[in-house]
Amino acid sequence: MKKTAITLGSVLVLLVLIAGCAGGPRSPWTVVDHQNLQLGGDIPTWVTKSTGELEREREFEESYVFKLEAFGRDLTGAKTQANLFDVNSEVARMIETRVQQKFAGAQVGDNNLVESYFENTVKILTDARIQGLRKYGDFWVFRINKESGEEQYAYYTLYTIDQSRVDQLIRDAINGQEADTEEEKTAQERVREIFAEGL
């Protein structure tokens, strides 16, 4: 009987551990105040979701979304930090990162010419002025780190842009590069194929 009780206890501990790990690593931050709290509202879902999750939702299915985050010890500081962002530059940098991830996943192998076309594409995109950005919303939260006791305001801003605009920007960057030889044309077409379905 005692052995059975020990076994059941071990199973319960194991189940608790599994349940605790199932959600992945837990954030050490606890939100203690936010923009909607005094009005009895909730934190908008876009604040807590990743851009990938948001883009899978119906509301954003035709858009790319970009979330900027600023932090400060007081709300004014966090807002000031957010206002210092050059939004176009930040979004261009995020597009560049997503382009690099897309290319890395394409596994082009040792084709240096394809890589060269890709690198030129990234450079053109980095220098491009992003047109058509729309501010979806902004939101602040005040949170405390349970481990360190640090207090922090986090200020989030979400921007959207039509997928077609960014995809056209990428196509223009690819097509704007010279391709004189058959090898260059093949490399250019390979890069075009990689981004045929956008980011």
Side-chain angles (χ1 to χ4, degrees):
M1 182 70 179
K2 198 170 189 180
K3 188 175 181 181
T4 305
I6 291 171
T7 304
L8 285 173
S10 301
V11 170
L12 285 173
V13 169
L14 184 60
L15 287 173
V16 169
L17 287 172
I18 291 171
C21 296
R26 294 189 178 184
S27 171
W29 294 98
T30 300
V31 173
V32 293
D33 192 10
H34 61 77
Q35 191 169 313
N36 289 342
L37 190 63
Q38 290 186 1
L39 299 174
D42 297 322
I43 297 174
T45 56
W46 66 261
V47 172
T48 57
K49 288 187 176 182
S50 70
T51 55
E53 289 173 314
L54 290 172
E55 287 175 2
R56 287 191 290 274
E57 293 183 355
R58 178 169 294 183
E59 184 177 3
F60 300 107
E61 62 184 352
E62 298 295 326
S63 302
Y64 291 123
V65 299
F66 302 94
K67 185 159 57 172
L68 303 183
E69 302 176 355
F71 306 97
R73 299 186 72 169
D74 56 55
L75 184 55
T76 302
K79 282 185 177 180
T80 300
Q81 185 66 34
N83 290 332
L84 289 176
F85 285 134
D86 179 338
V87 176
N88 277 284
S89 297
E90 288 295 321
V91 170
R93 183 183 57 76
M94 291 177 183
I95 290 174
E96 177 187 348
T97 300
R98 290 179 65 163
V99 167
Q100 289 172 333
Q101 290 170 343
K102 177 90 171 180
F103 189 78
Q107 299 177 344
V108 296
D110 296 326
N111 193 328
N112 291 330
L113 199 52
V114 174
E115 290 185 7
S116 177
Y117 268 88
F118 161 73
E119 288 168 3
N120 288 336
T121 302
V122 169
K123 185 179 185 310
I124 293 168
L125 289 172
T126 303
D127 296 338
R129 189 77 182 161
I130 309 299
Q131 301 291 333
L133 274 175
R134 293 184 299 273
K135 185 177 179 179
Y136 178 85
D138 52 27
F139 198 84
W140 63 263
V141 302
F142 177 63
R143 58 190 194 171
I144 297 176
N145 190 307
K146 294 174 291 193
E147 296 173 0
S148 66
E150 179 186 358
E151 297 181 351
Q152 181 186 77
Y153 280 89
Y155 194 86
Y156 304 94
T157 314
L158 191 71
Y159 290 88
T160 66
I161 188 171
D162 290 343
Q163 288 183 2
S164 57
R165 282 181 177 267
V166 178
D167 294 346
Q168 185 61 52
L169 195 64
I170 293 170
R171 283 194 295 272
D172 290 346
I174 296 168
N175 296 334
Q177 299 177 60
E178 292 183 6
D180 299 323
T181 68
E182 285 303 313
E183 187 180 14
E184 287 174 339
K185 289 175 183 176
T186 300
Q188 190 180 51
E189 185 58 33
R190 179 72 180 105
V191 175
R192 193 179 287 116
E193 288 170 6
I194 291 169
F195 296 106
E197 296 180 4
L199 296 177

